[in-house]
Amino acid sequence: MVVVMKPEASQAEIDHVIKRAASMGAQTQPITGESHTVIALVGDLTQVQRATFDAMAGVQKTVRIQDPYKLASRTTNPEGTVIDVNGIRFGGEQVVVMAGPCSVESREQIIQTAVAVKEAGASVLRGGAFKPRTSPYSFQGLGEEGLKYLAEAREVTGLPVISEVMTVETIDLVAEYVDILQIGARNMQNYALLQAVGKTRRPVMLKRGLSGEINELLMCAEYILSNGNMQVMLCERGIRTYETATRNTFDLNAVPVLKRSSHLPVVADPAHGTGDWELVPPMSLAAVAAGADALILEVHPDPESALSDGDQSLKPERFADLMRSLRRVAAAVGRSIATPKESDDSAGMAGNKNRSTEETSKSAVLA
Amino acid sequence: MVVVMKPEASQAEIDHVIKRAASMGAQTQPITGESHTVIALVGDLTQVQRATFDAMAGVQKTVRIQDPYKLASRTTNPEGTVIDVNGIRFGGEQVVVMAGPCSVESREQIIQTAVAVKEAGASVLRGGAFKPRTSPYSFQGLGEEGLKYLAEAREVTGLPVISEVMTVETIDLVAEYVDILQIGARNMQNYALLQAVGKTRRPVMLKRGLSGEINELLMCAEYILSNGNMQVMLCERGIRTYETATRNTFDLNAVPVLKRSSHLPVVADPAHGTGDWELVPPMSLAAVAAGADALILEVHPDPESALSDGDQSLKPERFADLMRSLRRVAAAVGRSIATPKESDDSAGMAGNKNRSTEETSKSAVLA
Amino acid sequence: MVVVMKPEASQAEIDHVIKRAASMGAQTQPITGESHTVIALVGDLTQVQRATFDAMAGVQKTVRIQDPYKLASRTTNPEGTVIDVNGIRFGGEQVVVMAGPCSVESREQIIQTAVAVKEAGASVLRGGAFKPRTSPYSFQGLGEEGLKYLAEAREVTGLPVISEVMTVETIDLVAEYVDILQIGARNMQNYALLQAVGKTRRPVMLKRGLSGEINELLMCAEYILSNGNMQVMLCERGIRTYETATRNTFDLNAVPVLKRSSHLPVVADPAHGTGDWELVPPMSLAAVAAGADALILEVHPDPESALSDGDQSLKPERFADLMRSLRRVAAAVGRSIATPKESDDSAGMAGNKNRSTEETSKSAVLA
Amino acid sequence: MVVVMKPEASQAEIDHVIKRAASMGAQTQPITGESHTVIALVGDLTQVQRATFDAMAGVQKTVRIQDPYKLASRTTNPEGTVIDVNGIRFGGEQVVVMAGPCSVESREQIIQTAVAVKEAGASVLRGGAFKPRTSPYSFQGLGEEGLKYLAEAREVTGLPVISEVMTVETIDLVAEYVDILQIGARNMQNYALLQAVGKTRRPVMLKRGLSGEINELLMCAEYILSNGNMQVMLCERGIRTYETATRNTFDLNAVPVLKRSSHLPVVADPAHGTGDWELVPPMSLAAVAAGADALILEVHPDPESALSDGDQSLKPERFADLMRSLRRVAAAVGRSIATPKESDDSAGMAGNKNRSTEETSKSAVLA
């Protein structure tokens, strides 16, 4: 950290900063420039708070130098972490496509969609049972009933399942039925929830909040990691900007930035990112070209009947078209699209793998 | 709602939109312009989802006409709601000043600050016991111990107390000690938490999220109101923009916009809004001039020793200076600053009033 | 346009809106909903101003339905416009790569770079002679001297040249030396400059401003088109958002949105978009995958000696690597990378083509 | 400036940075922390470019310490600059109210409005003759005819006049008729225009761009100041954010930030800032409470007939009401509202003062 003194700061004020920094365990090095004195704080800064210095007389501002996250940093695992979910590997050579409806709406709808997305080549099934909705008067999801249908769809297809968990109290329930726990954008900074999923041993996909800085997303991952769960994936899903031509601004730049800063696998969600199904195919191709490890897409057999997000959902045929293009673009950047596991095997594998992956990715981190 | 068809939309596509809208209970009126057909949906739109229409063939876009909130709307209570907390009235002629440290750090600190802010004229005490922190490695608050110190400070000074509640599980605990429940910016869209405080009968101050639209803030208030709790205050505390000269962009425009759109009292938080104690006095004066019903300010006896937010905290003397200026500006706009209740009375009043205010503000809403 | 009346609007106020709209040549259709009356304005709205209605008593808000641009709209030329610059075609099957240094710094530098980028496969040379700089104390470009060096580099390599024009007075000078006039992001809404380049018959690349909405970019293109110059390309180069991990937020979504809304060719500038050379390769690949018609990239033989933007410039070898990857990704999405023309031919072609392209693209628009 | 090296940077890379910095005239001081080496650059940094270092191998990032502006900095004139326009003083104890229509539409309209705003207490007349409009098809102002009407309104009322200048070529023309040259938000970074008004000796009001950072606004002022014109006022007029409840987000925080950073007078424009006439009164009062030196407001005798910005214009009676409230709030913060000069005197004064003020404010800067 660097403390920049005001041009008119007195020597006593400078000395006070130095003394205070020392009392927090930092080494200091004052540098006197033409107009300002700046004081660099180095060494162990875990006890140093920026606000303390910003509150001091004579201080103009403080500037952070080091990244605030540790376990999420690429330096912790320069090779990159691979998370194995029932044989589907996130963060490796293959690009994983997760697909399914925004909400689970009925037994038929989810099974029909699961079969269709598997046939087109998706290797993970998505579907929401608990839905965060802007309006208290909107459909809020089928809850446990939806989870059961998801589990049934998994049995039929062998596809592992990802679904959102919104509260601490329902983590156990959701974890009973799904393979990957999703933390939604609105809950990115719900620290109680992050700590609680950090205590499970289930892979977690953490979505960037609508106004989440990339550094903050990594700090939120740090909440999960520091509670012992090393199986975290990061998901870019659009940020809020002044532009209204798209519902959100899908910030694809976050993909290479996150890959550079962190060892965690990175997922792209162009459906929520743009909010517009016509933009999903080009931005999905772009995401793979930019280096995403996985995509999460919305597919619905009848988008205009969807109870949520029909406007950003693809029909199964369009999705199948997109999968063909994705394979070509993945090949062009030296990767391939992960293929779904056979259902008999994977159903059996699910339970075992789920337990064993914990060690896998932990050891990856420690490697 | 208005559905705008693409210029090339077929008559069949237009008819399909009309039929679908009718099936959801809406009346429709198609209007054919020079290049587009637009279809207005009127009547009861509670079953109408925009995404349904955005997903349809031939539709270019949909445009919302009516505000999505109902109970939070000013039309529900054109006179404005007044919330009475132990005799301190939010939303009336008087402007309420709430002050205290960001975090409760010790028994001495909170009592000393409470006495100082009361002496300067604050009528509500603030102080955090559960703290949402960006880093898992930072001080997270004293928890229940902090709540006990807050209650003790209330006994000593007679000031009612506001403090944040972060999880559904701790609502009862926090409500046992404090008079106003605060929902923090990061939890603005934590719907489970909103529903749970909506089921209490304790006044709630709901903070706008960092990227919360004003309409979304009102929809989040709707989550509380529709669960039966009519005592909700809205708080502007800074939004995230591209400007970095201030930590956040304190969006003071939200004050008159919220007063026009809603009947709920509006609080301004220039400390979090700007993140810079030097800007707190001018922006506090501005907030009162713009029509805020209350201010919430950070005061710390020794900001540079604060365990959080020292950079945006005022020293007690500066706060006392500011109170003098606030009284003059309040008078200039035809209002006055609420004065603290005498401690003997108010201590006794607290319990009674707390219960009785429920009816008071409810009846205000229904008036 | 739709005028939304306040719930409490009187019949006289509604009638006044209708009468006023009629006096401006619009047809009106009032629709009475549950709480509001809304009045749709259709027909010829060229004389209708939204602000007029927003200023009226009883009006809550107005909502625009039709896009405000005409000549820039895809409906004007559904097939898409192809702009031919000395045989290099923008907007067709091929993707054009423009490359070169941010600033022309010396005769040697620009010729050396031109040769290198041509060798790697770029087909247009970029280089700034007039530079808009944030600080009045920074290098402002070589001016006409720089233009002469650019022209010399064109003679040597046969590559057509693009360079920025910053003022009305220098348009003729710049047009004398370069093949494509660039309007920079800071001048997106410099209407005098737009009108003046609109009166030339030279192709123009118009960059989106840092806070330019996509609709505004198209309105700025409209300023050029409506002055008679149909050879306009649109360039996405990053917008300003709250995120600071990248210098700007390169909004790649703008590429498919612009392709859908407009018939004009779309260029992507990931160097300015991200401000970080390490992000240029992945985001260039992504831009081609998303459907960009051209890329504009910064290449410098010695980035750390560059007088501007060294931080976002590629070295020639990295650029050559990137070109190889670009060819693979272009093929994956059914396109190819344009190849540079042979120097003898193209030098001769330049003059002729420049004149003839005017008609070419005009007729495309009228087709 | 501080250069932060990557954790894996080699000693050779560190040495290279140091050597390069030295060659640019900077003194360097490397500091080795736990994970990074950081190199502080102090002394004369005028020849140092950040991009040079960001382009170097082994460099993670650079951090700017010193503000980039010099002449605009408060340290240049700690007492604050007062600009005297025909006896109306900007930046002193008094708050100046400038008012008038957005556009000059006719001789009658501007004279009628001038008389009305003077009667209500405004001391400067505003009115646009050259109008930057989003659409090429909208009313673009009366041009020189409008300037003549403005001059006539000045003769009648004695009010000095402010009007926008959009191009270098029209500066002389505009300066012939008006007392204060306005640079609009879209031209904040039109450097050619800034340099040209910097060469005049006419006071300039520079508006912050829609996405202008406060530091950038000050750098743009630097362009004017460094060309010799010391009479610059800065104007906050709303920035672009994600919030759509107001047309722009009027960033009132900029007022105290600019007053702290710079010696230049600060003007607030709540009409453009919010785009909503109902919000203009509360935000005008707030601006004075926050410390603005002047307000610029839109007043139109018949807002719904206005050719531009009717939606954000006040009627004369509302403006007169607002003036009464402004006087009370100004008094509450220890200031007063400037009163208009008598017309006989001021007409005569205009010419003289205009010349003499140049020295006045220059000497203020040098004081």
Side-chain angles (χ1 to χ4, degrees):
Chain A
M1 196 174 77
V2 172
V3 178
V4 183
M5 303 301 296
K6 290 182 177 169
E8 68 271 20
S10 68
Q11 190 56 45
E13 288 167 343
I14 294 169
D15 292 345
H16 181 60
V17 167
I18 293 172
K19 207 171 135 192
R20 188 60 184 266
S23 78
M24 289 168 161
Q27 296 154 30
T28 57
Q29 197 146 343
I31 309 154
T32 302
E34 223 174 25
S35 58
H36 297 267
T37 290
V38 306
I39 302 165
L41 273 60
V42 295
D44 177 10
L45 304 187
T46 46
Q47 299 310 310
V48 171
Q49 272 201 64
R50 279 177 72 179
T52 300
F53 295 92
D54 279 320
M56 287 186 184
V59 171
Q60 182 167 306
K61 62 176 172 184
T62 58
V63 179
R64 175 188 285 152
I65 300 295
Q66 265 179 285
D67 289 328
Y69 45 87
K70 294 178 176 54
L71 298 173
S73 170
R74 182 157 275 274
T75 53
T76 301
N77 182 11
E79 299 304 302
T81 288
V82 174
I83 298 176
D84 186 313
V85 181
N86 305 350
I88 304 296
R89 293 163 57 85
F90 292 80
E93 177 270 338
Q94 293 195 318
V95 178
V96 179
V97 178
M98 303 185 268
C102 176
S103 299
V104 180
E105 296 166 3
S106 70
R107 191 177 165 281
E108 292 63 37
Q109 172 243 25
I110 189 67
I111 292 178
Q112 178 189 352
T113 311
V115 169
V117 301
K118 184 182 178 187
E119 199 172 287
S123 46
V124 176
L125 175 67
R126 62 162 292 160
F130 294 98
K131 301 297 306 172
R133 301 302 299 274
T134 307
S135 165
Y137 311 120
S138 297
F139 173 64
Q140 312 265 329
L142 293 182
E144 186 169 3
E145 189 188 347
L147 294 173
K148 286 180 178 162
Y149 297 152
L150 274 174
E152 212 174 323
R154 176 174 51 180
E155 258 176 64
V156 172
T157 59
L159 297 179
V161 163
I162 179 169
S163 196
E164 177 163 356
V165 57
M166 286 175 61
T167 60
V168 173
E169 306 90 78
T170 50
I171 290 177
D172 287 346
L173 177 68
V174 176
E176 200 178 307
Y177 293 100
V178 315
D179 301 283
I180 307 174
L181 299 172
Q182 173 179 320
I183 302 291
R186 293 176 179 84
N187 280 319
M188 182 186 90
Q189 293 188 313
N190 183 336
Y191 299 126
L193 185 60
L194 300 180
Q195 288 171 320
V197 297
K199 284 173 188 140
T200 72
R201 289 299 167 268
R202 203 47 67 93
V204 175
M205 184 179 81
L206 174 64
K207 291 188 135 188
R208 182 182 184 187
L210 260 187
S211 64
E213 293 178 357
I214 289 175
N215 266 356
E216 288 174 340
L217 173 61
L218 290 168
M219 284 307 287
C220 291
E222 195 85 8
Y223 262 94
I224 304 173
L225 298 166
S226 65
N227 275 280
N229 187 344
M230 295 295 154
Q231 304 191 77
V232 178
M233 315 174 199
L234 306 169
C235 178
E236 163 59 34
R237 50 81 70 211
I239 61 173
R240 188 158 269 180
T241 72
Y242 69 84
E243 178 59 70
T244 57
T246 43
R247 187 176 311 156
N248 302 304
T249 297
F250 180 50
D251 180 14
L252 191 52
N253 311 285
V255 171
V257 170
L258 285 169
K259 293 302 290 179
R260 175 169 69 181
S261 311
S262 178
H263 56 91
L264 300 170
V266 176
V267 183
D269 178 352
H272 287 89
T274 64
D276 183 337
W277 67 264
E278 289 187 300
L279 303 178
V280 169
M283 297 312 293
S284 295
L285 299 174
V288 171
D293 295 309
L295 292 173
I296 185 160
L297 299 171
E298 297 195 337
V299 176
H300 195 286
D302 180 15
E304 65 176 79
S305 299
L307 296 180
S308 58
D309 284 357
D311 48 347
Q312 61 198 36
S313 298
L314 296 178
K315 292 183 185 173
E317 317 84 73
R318 284 185 203 279
F319 174 65
D321 279 352
L322 173 57
M323 286 300 293
R324 283 184 280 275
S325 302
L326 284 171
R327 284 186 200 103
R328 288 195 297 270
V329 172
V333 295
R335 301 179 82 167
S336 61
I337 302 292
T339 49
K341 299 291 150 194
E342 278 315 299
S343 63
D344 340 357
D345 296 357
S346 61
M349 279 161 69
N352 302 328
K353 272 286 166 176
N354 241 1
R355 275 177 279 280
S356 65
T357 50
E358 179 188 345
E359 287 81 44
T360 311
S361 74
K362 247 190 180 162
S363 59
V365 169
L366 302 174
Chain B
M1 196 174 76
V2 172
V3 178
V4 184
M5 303 302 295
K6 289 183 178 169
E8 68 271 20
S10 69
Q11 189 57 44
E13 287 166 343
I14 293 170
D15 292 343
H16 182 59
V17 166
I18 292 172
K19 206 172 136 190
R20 189 61 185 267
S23 78
M24 290 169 161
Q27 297 154 29
T28 56
Q29 197 146 345
I31 308 153
T32 303
E34 221 171 30
S35 58
H36 298 266
T37 291
V38 305
I39 302 165
L41 274 60
V42 296
D44 176 11
L45 305 186
T46 46
Q47 299 310 310
V48 172
Q49 271 201 66
R50 281 177 71 181
T52 299
F53 295 92
D54 279 320
M56 287 184 184
V59 171
Q60 182 168 306
K61 62 176 172 183
T62 58
V63 180
R64 175 188 284 151
I65 301 295
Q66 264 179 285
D67 289 327
Y69 45 87
K70 295 177 174 55
L71 299 173
S73 169
R74 181 158 277 273
T75 54
T76 301
N77 183 11
E79 298 304 302
T81 288
V82 174
I83 298 176
D84 185 313
V85 180
N86 306 351
I88 304 296
R89 291 164 59 85
F90 292 81
E93 175 271 338
Q94 293 195 317
V95 178
V96 179
V97 178
M98 302 185 268
C102 176
S103 300
V104 180
E105 296 166 3
S106 70
R107 191 177 165 280
E108 292 65 38
Q109 173 245 22
I110 189 66
I111 292 178
Q112 179 190 350
T113 310
V115 169
V117 301
K118 182 183 180 186
E119 200 172 288
S123 46
V124 175
L125 176 66
R126 61 162 290 159
F130 295 97
K131 302 296 307 170
R133 301 303 299 273
T134 308
S135 166
Y137 310 120
S138 297
F139 172 65
Q140 312 265 331
L142 293 181
E144 185 169 4
E145 188 187 347
L147 294 172
K148 286 180 177 163
Y149 297 152
L150 273 175
E152 213 175 321
R154 176 173 52 179
E155 257 175 65
V156 172
T157 59
L159 297 179
V161 163
I162 179 170
S163 196
E164 178 163 356
V165 57
M166 286 174 61
T167 60
V168 172
E169 308 90 78
T170 51
I171 290 177
D172 288 346
L173 177 68
V174 176
E176 199 178 308
Y177 293 100
V178 313
D179 301 283
I180 308 173
L181 298 173
Q182 174 180 319
I183 303 291
R186 291 176 181 86
N187 281 320
M188 182 186 90
Q189 293 187 313
N190 183 334
Y191 299 126
L193 186 60
L194 299 180
Q195 288 171 320
V197 298
K199 285 173 186 140
T200 72
R201 290 298 168 268
R202 204 44 67 93
V204 175
M205 183 179 82
L206 174 64
K207 291 188 135 188
R208 182 182 184 186
L210 260 185
S211 63
E213 292 178 357
I214 289 176
N215 265 356
E216 288 173 339
L217 173 61
L218 289 167
M219 284 307 286
C220 291
E222 195 85 6
Y223 262 94
I224 304 173
L225 298 165
S226 65
N227 276 279
N229 187 345
M230 296 295 154
Q231 305 191 77
V232 178
M233 314 174 200
L234 306 169
C235 179
E236 162 60 34
R237 52 78 72 209
I239 60 173
R240 188 158 269 180
T241 71
Y242 70 83
E243 178 60 69
T244 56
T246 44
R247 188 177 309 157
N248 302 305
T249 296
F250 180 50
D251 179 14
L252 192 52
N253 312 286
V255 171
V257 170
L258 285 170
K259 292 302 291 178
R260 176 168 67 179
S261 311
S262 178
H263 56 90
L264 300 171
V266 177
V267 183
D269 178 351
H272 287 89
T274 63
D276 183 336
W277 66 264
E278 289 187 299
L279 303 178
V280 170
M283 296 314 292
S284 296
L285 299 173
V288 171
D293 295 309
L295 292 173
I296 185 159
L297 299 171
E298 296 195 337
V299 176
H300 196 286
D302 180 15
E304 65 175 79
S305 299
L307 295 181
S308 58
D309 285 357
D311 47 347
Q312 61 198 37
S313 298
L314 297 178
K315 292 184 185 174
E317 316 85 72
R318 284 185 204 278
F319 174 65
D321 277 352
L322 172 57
M323 287 300 293
R324 283 184 282 273
S325 303
L326 284 171
R327 284 186 199 104
R328 287 194 298 269
V329 171
V333 294
R335 299 179 84 167
S336 62
I337 302 293
T339 50
K341 300 290 151 193
E342 277 317 299
S343 61
D344 341 357
D345 297 355
S346 62
M349 279 161 67
N352 302 327
K353 274 286 170 178
N354 242 2
R355 275 176 279 279
S356 63
T357 49
E358 180 188 343
E359 288 81 45
T360 310
S361 73
K362 249 192 178 163
S363 59
V365 169
L366 302 175
Chain C
M1 197 174 77
V2 172
V3 178
V4 183
M5 303 302 295
K6 290 182 178 170
E8 68 271 22
S10 69
Q11 189 57 44
E13 288 167 342
I14 293 169
D15 292 343
H16 182 59
V17 167
I18 292 172
K19 206 172 135 192
R20 189 61 185 266
S23 78
M24 289 168 161
Q27 296 154 29
T28 55
Q29 197 145 345
I31 310 153
T32 302
E34 222 172 27
S35 59
H36 297 265
T37 291
V38 305
I39 302 164
L41 274 60
V42 296
D44 176 10
L45 305 186
T46 47
Q47 299 311 309
V48 172
Q49 272 201 65
R50 278 177 73 180
T52 300
F53 295 93
D54 280 318
M56 287 185 184
V59 171
Q60 183 168 305
K61 61 176 172 184
T62 58
V63 180
R64 176 187 285 151
I65 300 295
Q66 264 179 284
D67 289 327
Y69 45 88
K70 294 178 175 54
L71 298 174
S73 170
R74 181 158 277 273
T75 54
T76 301
N77 183 11
E79 298 304 303
T81 288
V82 173
I83 298 176
D84 184 314
V85 181
N86 306 349
I88 303 297
R89 292 163 59 86
F90 292 81
E93 176 270 339
Q94 293 195 316
V95 178
V96 180
V97 178
M98 303 184 269
C102 176
S103 300
V104 180
E105 296 166 3
S106 70
R107 192 178 165 281
E108 291 66 36
Q109 174 244 21
I110 189 66
I111 292 178
Q112 179 190 349
T113 311
V115 169
V117 301
K118 182 183 179 186
E119 200 172 287
S123 47
V124 175
L125 176 65
R126 61 163 292 162
F130 295 97
K131 302 296 306 171
R133 301 303 299 273
T134 308
S135 165
Y137 311 120
S138 297
F139 173 64
Q140 312 266 328
L142 292 182
E144 186 170 3
E145 189 187 346
L147 293 173
K148 287 180 178 162
Y149 297 151
L150 273 174
E152 213 174 321
R154 175 174 52 179
E155 257 176 66
V156 172
T157 58
L159 298 179
V161 163
I162 179 170
S163 196
E164 177 163 355
V165 57
M166 286 174 61
T167 61
V168 173
E169 307 90 78
T170 51
I171 290 176
D172 288 346
L173 177 68
V174 176
E176 199 177 309
Y177 293 100
V178 313
D179 300 283
I180 307 174
L181 298 172
Q182 174 179 320
I183 303 290
R186 292 175 180 87
N187 281 320
M188 182 185 89
Q189 293 188 311
N190 183 336
Y191 300 125
L193 186 60
L194 299 180
Q195 288 171 320
V197 298
K199 285 172 187 141
T200 72
R201 289 298 167 268
R202 203 46 67 93
V204 175
M205 183 180 81
L206 174 64
K207 292 188 135 189
R208 182 181 184 188
L210 259 186
S211 63
E213 292 178 356
I214 288 175
N215 266 355
E216 288 174 340
L217 173 62
L218 289 168
M219 284 308 286
C220 291
E222 194 85 7
Y223 262 93
I224 304 174
L225 297 165
S226 65
N227 275 278
N229 187 344
M230 295 294 154
Q231 303 191 79
V232 178
M233 313 174 200
L234 306 168
C235 179
E236 163 59 34
R237 50 80 71 210
I239 60 173
R240 186 158 271 180
T241 72
Y242 70 83
E243 178 60 69
T244 56
T246 44
R247 188 177 309 156
N248 302 305
T249 297
F250 179 51
D251 179 14
L252 191 52
N253 312 286
V255 171
V257 171
L258 286 169
K259 292 302 291 178
R260 176 169 67 180
S261 312
S262 178
H263 57 91
L264 300 171
V266 177
V267 183
D269 178 352
H272 286 89
T274 63
D276 183 337
W277 67 264
E278 287 187 301
L279 303 178
V280 169
M283 296 313 292
S284 296
L285 299 173
V288 171
D293 295 308
L295 293 174
I296 184 160
L297 300 171
E298 296 195 338
V299 176
H300 196 286
D302 180 15
E304 64 175 79
S305 298
L307 295 180
S308 58
D309 284 357
D311 47 347
Q312 62 198 36
S313 299
L314 297 178
K315 293 183 185 174
E317 316 85 73
R318 284 185 203 280
F319 174 65
D321 278 353
L322 173 56
M323 287 300 293
R324 282 184 281 274
S325 303
L326 284 170
R327 283 185 201 105
R328 288 193 298 269
V329 171
V333 294
R335 300 180 82 168
S336 62
I337 302 293
T339 49
K341 300 290 149 194
E342 278 316 298
S343 61
D344 339 358
D345 298 356
S346 61
M349 278 161 68
N352 302 328
K353 273 286 167 178
N354 242 1
R355 274 177 280 277
S356 64
T357 50
E358 178 188 346
E359 288 80 45
T360 311
S361 72
K362 246 189 180 164
S363 59
V365 168
L366 301 174
Chain D
M1 196 173 78
V2 172
V3 178
V4 183
M5 304 301 295
K6 289 182 177 168
E8 69 272 21
S10 70
Q11 189 57 43
E13 288 167 343
I14 294 169
D15 292 344
H16 181 59
V17 167
I18 293 172
K19 207 172 135 192
R20 189 61 185 266
S23 79
M24 290 168 161
Q27 296 154 29
T28 56
Q29 198 145 344
I31 310 154
T32 303
E34 223 173 25
S35 58
H36 298 266
T37 291
V38 306
I39 302 165
L41 273 60
V42 295
D44 176 10
L45 304 186
T46 46
Q47 299 311 309
V48 171
Q49 272 201 67
R50 279 177 71 180
T52 301
F53 295 93
D54 279 320
M56 287 185 185
V59 170
Q60 181 168 306
K61 62 176 172 183
T62 58
V63 179
R64 175 186 285 151
I65 300 296
Q66 264 179 285
D67 289 327
Y69 46 87
K70 294 177 176 53
L71 297 173
S73 170
R74 182 158 275 275
T75 53
T76 301
N77 183 12
E79 299 304 302
T81 288
V82 174
I83 298 176
D84 185 314
V85 180
N86 304 351
I88 304 297
R89 293 163 59 84
F90 292 80
E93 176 269 339
Q94 293 195 319
V95 178
V96 179
V97 178
M98 302 185 269
C102 175
S103 299
V104 180
E105 296 166 2
S106 70
R107 193 177 165 279
E108 292 63 39
Q109 173 243 23
I110 189 67
I111 292 178
Q112 179 190 351
T113 312
V115 169
V117 301
K118 183 183 178 185
E119 199 172 288
S123 47
V124 175
L125 176 66
R126 64 162 290 161
F130 295 98
K131 302 297 306 171
R133 300 304 299 274
T134 308
S135 166
Y137 310 120
S138 297
F139 173 64
Q140 311 265 329
L142 293 182
E144 186 170 3
E145 189 187 347
L147 294 172
K148 285 181 180 164
Y149 298 152
L150 274 176
E152 213 175 322
R154 175 173 53 179
E155 257 176 65
V156 172
T157 58
L159 297 180
V161 163
I162 179 170
S163 196
E164 177 163 355
V165 58
M166 285 174 61
T167 61
V168 172
E169 307 90 80
T170 51
I171 290 177
D172 287 346
L173 177 68
V174 176
E176 200 178 307
Y177 293 100
V178 314
D179 301 282
I180 307 174
L181 299 172
Q182 174 179 320
I183 303 290
R186 291 176 180 85
N187 280 320
M188 182 185 89
Q189 293 187 313
N190 183 334
Y191 299 126
L193 185 60
L194 299 180
Q195 288 171 320
V197 298
K199 283 172 187 142
T200 72
R201 290 298 168 267
R202 203 46 67 92
V204 174
M205 183 178 81
L206 174 64
K207 291 188 136 189
R208 182 182 184 186
L210 259 187
S211 64
E213 293 179 355
I214 289 176
N215 266 356
E216 288 174 339
L217 173 62
L218 290 167
M219 283 309 285
C220 291
E222 195 86 7
Y223 261 94
I224 303 174
L225 298 166
S226 65
N227 275 279
N229 187 346
M230 295 294 153
Q231 304 191 78
V232 178
M233 314 174 200
L234 306 169
C235 179
E236 163 59 33
R237 52 80 71 209
I239 61 173
R240 188 158 270 179
T241 71
Y242 69 83
E243 177 61 68
T244 57
T246 45
R247 186 174 313 155
N248 302 304
T249 296
F250 180 50
D251 179 15
L252 191 52
N253 312 285
V255 171
V257 170
L258 285 170
K259 292 302 291 179
R260 175 168 70 181
S261 311
S262 178
H263 56 92
L264 300 170
V266 176
V267 183
D269 178 351
H272 287 90
T274 64
D276 183 336
W277 67 265
E278 288 187 299
L279 303 178
V280 169
M283 297 313 292
S284 296
L285 298 174
V288 171
D293 295 309
L295 291 174
I296 186 160
L297 299 171
E298 296 195 338
V299 176
H300 196 286
D302 180 15
E304 64 175 80
S305 299
L307 295 180
S308 59
D309 284 357
D311 48 346
Q312 61 198 37
S313 298
L314 297 179
K315 292 183 185 174
E317 317 84 74
R318 284 186 205 278
F319 175 64
D321 278 352
L322 172 58
M323 286 300 293
R324 282 184 281 275
S325 302
L326 284 171
R327 284 185 200 104
R328 287 195 298 270
V329 171
V333 294
R335 301 180 82 168
S336 61
I337 302 293
T339 49
K341 299 291 150 193
E342 278 315 300
S343 62
D344 340 358
D345 296 357
S346 62
M349 279 161 68
N352 302 328
K353 273 287 167 177
N354 242 1
R355 275 178 280 276
S356 63
T357 49
E358 178 189 343
E359 288 83 44
T360 311
S361 72
K362 248 192 181 163
S363 59
V365 168
L366 302 174

